[in-house]
Amino acid sequence: MARATAGYEQGRRAADAQRAAAGRLQDQLDHQRGEMNLLRDDLGVVARAQYRTGGSLTFTAGLLLSKTPDELLRGRRIAHQAEEAVGRLLDRARLAERRLSAAERRARAAWRDLDVRRARLAAVKQGITAKLETAQWKLQGEADRSVAAGTCAGAVPVDEDTPPATAWVPPVEDYALSAGFGSGGSHWVSGHTGQDFAVGIGAPVRSVGAGRVLSVSCGGAFGIEIIVKHPGGYYTQYAHLASLAVDQGQQVRTGQWIGQAGTTGNSTGPHLHFEVRLTPHLGSGVDPVPWLAERGVGL
């Protein structure tokens, strides 16, 4: 998935560059069209003037009726200059026509290439989405089998990013808050005991603070769950997971990837159930939202 996404991003950047190039070619085309229109206007002025004055016949008549050699030379010079000016104008018009045709070809080719790139990117993105969904449900299927057997498949450590600069962090990223602490519902006997974070299957779950993994279990209402003991006497629980990245007894850092979100146990859809407790046991929970807020983490 990472390789496919990297390829998609490379293609997207190439498409952005192609879009910019196509825009520049379009600007050149518009400039060439403007120049062509000006030349056509100038040619129109010349043509209308020749029509009004009889064209080259007027110059010929003027030469024939010249009374002196000087008048004859001046007339010939003026006629020659006029013909040269018209010739240059026609040459410029023909050159502008060629440039305009070339600019139109380049612009059409650039936009066609951009359309091809867009189609390829759409196909790549569709493939990424399909592969990700397949991988998510494969992961969830393995997790469900572990829960049914009541045994954990074992931790799979994950390469870590740069540790956060803060002492406390949210347990997941890119989430939506769903069921809150104390809320009612058919799934809870006396109110919801934690805060739910709606995320996709496989979303990284991180320890909100430094501590030690007190327990790891794979069965019951919470499905695959982790409990971390933190200095100061508090415990945090991470439930309904799809996989584990830490083992029982392991020391963890703030923000360390400890598992992946899923929908194991008593769960109606992918999410992380997160609790803050005074003891390791269910029933000693406190509202996680203000608890994290007191530690500088806003949800």
Side-chain angles (χ1 to χ4, degrees), residues 38-52:
L38 290 175
L39 285 170
R40 284 171 179 161
D41 290 343
D42 291 343
L43 286 171
V45 171
V46 171
R48 288 191 294 272
Q50 285 186 331
Y51 176 77
R52 287 194 302 269

Side-chain angles (χ1 to χ4, degrees), residues 54-209:
S56 60
L57 291 176
T58 302
F59 291 112
T60 302
L63 294 176
L64 292 174
L65 296 174
S66 299
K67 297 178 180 179
T68 65
D70 287 341
E71 286 184 6
L72 177 62
L73 291 174
R74 279 198 301 272
R76 290 182 63 183
R77 187 165 55 250
I78 292 171
H80 181 68
Q81 289 173 347
E83 288 175 358
E84 282 190 338
V86 172
R88 286 195 298 270
L89 189 58
L90 288 171
D91 288 342
R92 286 177 58 198
R94 284 191 288 268
L95 178 60
E97 287 280 6
R98 290 196 296 270
R99 287 176 175 172
L100 178 59
S101 297
E104 287 176 337
R105 288 194 299 271
R106 289 195 299 271
R108 283 195 300 268
W111 289 117
R112 282 196 303 268
D113 188 45
L114 181 58
D115 288 338
V116 170
R117 288 181 185 274
R118 285 171 174 165
R120 288 174 180 170
L121 283 175
V124 169
K125 189 171 185 179
Q126 186 176 6
I128 289 174
T129 302
K131 289 177 182 178
L132 178 59
E133 186 173 354
T134 300
Q136 287 174 321
W137 289 109
K138 181 180 179 181
L139 177 67
Q140 183 61 43
E142 294 171 351
D144 289 337
R145 287 190 289 273
S146 293
V147 171
T151 57
C152 295
V156 179
V158 179
D159 292 337
E160 288 297 309
D161 298 328
T162 303
T166 56
W168 300 91
V169 296
V172 288
E173 299 175 354
D174 300 325
Y175 57 85
L177 295 178
S178 47
F181 181 79
S183 58
S186 59
H187 292 283
W188 314 297
V189 175
S190 57
H192 194 227
T193 55
Q195 175 63 57
D196 285 351
F197 296 79
V199 291
I201 294 173
V205 175
R206 303 179 184 277
S207 178
V208 296

Side-chain angles (χ1 to χ4, degrees), residues 208-261:
V208 296
R212 181 177 63 84
V213 178
L214 181 69
S215 66
V216 173
S217 59
C218 299
F222 286 119
I224 299 176
E225 67 167 327
I226 298 170
I227 295 178
V228 176
K229 181 180 181 181
H230 302 281
Y234 285 98
Y235 301 80
T236 54
Q237 180 213 28
Y238 311 80
H240 305 309
L241 302 178
S243 74
L244 299 167
V246 292
D247 289 313
Q248 186 168 316
Q250 182 176 334
Q251 293 292 133
V252 293
R253 304 182 306 276
T254 298
Q256 182 173 335
W257 189 337
I258 59 175
Q260 289 176 278

